[in-house]
Amino acid sequence: MKKGKLLNSELSYEIAKIGHTSHITLCDAGLPFPKGVKRIDLAVEAGYPSFIKTLDAILSEMMVEEIVLASEIKTINPKVYNEILETFQKNGMNPKIVEVSHTEFKEITRESEAIVRTGECTPYANIILKSGVVF
């Protein structure tokens, strides 16, 4: 059995095979999935698993150099926005932050290696995680 925080084998595999600057999208329960992008659906019920707990587990295994957020999150969901920043800090990362419109965000997800759906039911709780390197 795997010893680390992240136990989901499908998600762990996607992180293990990702290359520098490739990206994974972590989203709330409502973000649409573009055709052709791998879907990892972790949602069990509203709020479970939470976006932040899932982000924390992902960051235990993935080095992130840049994140993309919908700019709307800062005003419409500042609690989750601040929790995102705190979670990166807790995991010893300070990625570049790129803000785009929610419409543009959805377009960028088409290039994701995978999209991970949580049970989060708060608005704009979505993030694109661009892979960094550990050296």
Side-chain angles (χ1 to χ4, degrees):
M1 182 172 188
K2 200 166 174 295
K3 185 178 176 184
K5 186 184 281 189
L6 182 60
L7 298 177
N8 183 283
S9 61
E10 192 174 8
L11 180 51
S12 188
Y13 174 71
E14 290 301 320
I15 292 169
K17 72 177 192 168
I18 199 168
H20 184 219
T21 72
S22 294
H23 54 84
I24 292 174
T25 298
L26 178 63
C27 70
D28 59 28
L31 189 74
F33 280 77
K35 290 182 180 169
V37 177
K38 181 176 180 79
R39 177 185 186 123
I40 301 174
D41 195 343
L42 304 178
V44 175
E45 63 181 32
Y48 188 77
S50 76
F51 175 83
I52 293 298
K53 288 289 283 182
T54 307
L55 176 63
D56 188 46
I58 289 171
L59 295 182
S60 74
E61 291 199 10
M62 182 179 177
M63 179 58 70
V64 176
E65 70 179 20
E66 181 178 307
I67 62 174
V68 180
L69 299 167
S71 56
E72 293 89 342
I73 192 174
K74 288 173 83 173
T75 55
I76 296 175
N77 198 349
K79 179 180 183 290
V80 168
Y81 176 77
N82 289 323
E83 288 175 341
I84 288 169
L85 300 180
E86 290 167 8
T87 302
F88 274 97
Q89 184 177 30
K90 177 179 126 184
N91 282 278
M93 287 182 246
N94 185 25
K96 175 183 175 185
I97 300 171
V98 176
E99 294 179 22
V100 298
S101 71
H102 187 58
T103 301
E104 187 176 352
F105 182 94
K106 291 185 282 188
E107 287 298 316
I108 297 169
T109 66
R110 295 179 186 281
E111 303 302 318
S112 287
E113 299 297 318
I115 299 180
V116 182
R117 180 177 176 245
T118 67
E120 187 71 37
C121 290
T122 63
Y124 301 101
N126 306 298
I127 190 169
I128 295 171
L129 305 167
K130 290 194 178 182
S131 179
V133 292
V134 294
F135 55 87

